[in-house]
Amino acid sequence: MFFYFFLAVELLSVIIGFVYYPYLKKSFMRWVLPFLIFIFFSEIVARVVGGYTNNNLKIYCFISIAESLFYGYFFYNATKIIQFRKLILILTFLSVLGFVSSLIILHKNIHFLYLNFVITGFFLSFMALGYIYIRFLDDQNFYLITDPVFWVALGVSLFYSGTSVVFIMHDLIRVKRLWFMGLSLHNVVPQFLSILLYLSISIAIIQCKKKIRISL
């Protein structure tokens, strides 16, 4: 049941993306809607496959590659700081390389995939928090909550830092059978944090409309 709730929030963000797409397409946020659609249907396919089979984990490898590329692109275009941009490119490349490697050796080493979840989570959290830090140094940080990218960065930092901690504890959760609402914690926590992530993205989409209207 909890899965369907967070999936409904994802669907809500897709609908909001459709409604406000005329505003999104005027900026680099035009790729937010295709990304949300891909994630939504990928989650459904993963649910249909079910369980922790290799096929299921392969789907999450592809999802993670898409997330690494999208958020890398997103924060790269959101900042003008050259050094930070270069670092984003490096971290994005390492993340994608890690998940491609996981796809190749998944049948032999599932733990390597979880390691990539952890590392990429910290990479993406760093990008998001790095952007927020740069904006705080900006003279215009008073208007931070009106910045669409801030809301995406907030959601990304909360989601990926939280899931990274959970995946670090994957073996402990499995051995100790730490469950909540009939699901393992490494399922419940990412699903709960997904709600915060996609609500943040929805707010970002709405703020994008307001920002463009003001600039016209």
Side-chain angles (χ1 to χ4, degrees):
M1 183 62 69
F2 196 75
F3 170 83
Y4 296 106
F5 182 69
F6 103 82
L7 197 62
V9 175
E10 284 190 11
L11 178 59
L12 175 64
S13 66
V14 171
I15 293 172
I16 292 174
F18 269 113
V19 172
Y20 291 98
Y21 188 71
Y23 300 94
L24 296 180
K25 69 180 182 180
K26 299 177 186 294
S27 70
F28 68 89
M29 288 187 66
R30 62 185 175 275
W31 295 110
V32 170
L33 179 57
F35 170 72
L36 291 175
I37 293 172
F38 172 81
I39 295 298
F40 176 72
F41 284 106
S42 296
E43 291 281 5
I44 292 177
V45 172
R47 180 66 176 183
V48 171
V49 172
Y52 285 94
T53 63
N54 277 355
N55 288 334
N56 183 283
L57 291 176
K58 284 179 181 178
I59 293 171
Y60 282 105
C61 275
F62 285 112
I63 290 175
S64 297
I65 289 172
E67 290 173 334
S68 299
L69 291 172
F70 172 76
Y71 289 120
Y73 161 85
F74 188 87
F75 291 116
Y76 178 88
N77 283 276
T79 181
K80 302 301 179 184
I81 308 299
I82 301 300
Q83 294 85 350
F84 189 48
R85 278 188 156 193
K86 290 180 180 179
L87 188 54
I88 288 173
L89 288 176
I90 293 172
L91 296 181
T92 300
F93 172 78
L94 292 176
S95 296
V96 173
L97 179 62
F99 285 114
V100 170
S101 300
S102 292
L103 281 171
I104 296 173
I105 66 171
L106 186 58
H107 63 288
K108 296 180 180 179
N109 192 342
I110 293 178
H111 293 288
F112 183 65
L113 173 61
Y114 284 101
L115 177 63
N116 280 309
F117 284 144
V118 172
I119 293 174
T120 295
F122 284 126
F123 283 173
L124 295 177
S125 297
F126 174 81
M127 294 180 198
L129 292 174
Y131 174 82
I132 294 175
Y133 175 72
I134 291 171
R135 282 305 312 271
F136 267 120
L137 296 180
D138 195 318
D139 292 335
Q140 298 179 347
N141 62 71
F142 177 77
Y143 302 103
L144 192 60
I145 61 173
T146 64
D147 177 16
V149 183
F150 164 75
W151 287 103
V152 176
L154 179 63
V156 167
S157 60
L158 290 174
F159 176 79
Y160 286 100
S161 59
T163 55
S164 291
V165 171
V166 171
F167 284 125
I168 286 175
M169 301 170 60
H170 174 262
D171 288 338
L172 176 64
I173 292 172
R174 181 176 55 82
V175 172
K176 298 295 184 180
R177 295 185 61 82
L178 302 178
W179 288 46
F180 180 73
M181 296 179 64
L183 292 172
S184 174
L185 284 184
H186 58 253
N187 286 327
V188 173
V189 173
Q191 289 180 15
F192 173 75
L193 293 176
S194 288
I195 295 172
L196 300 181
L197 173 61
Y198 291 104
L199 285 177
S200 296
I201 292 176
S202 298
I203 294 173
I205 293 171
I206 296 171
Q207 288 296 332
C208 186
K209 172 189 175 181
K210 292 180 179 179
K211 186 174 182 180
I212 290 174
R213 272 188 168 179
I214 293 173
S215 65
L216 293 177

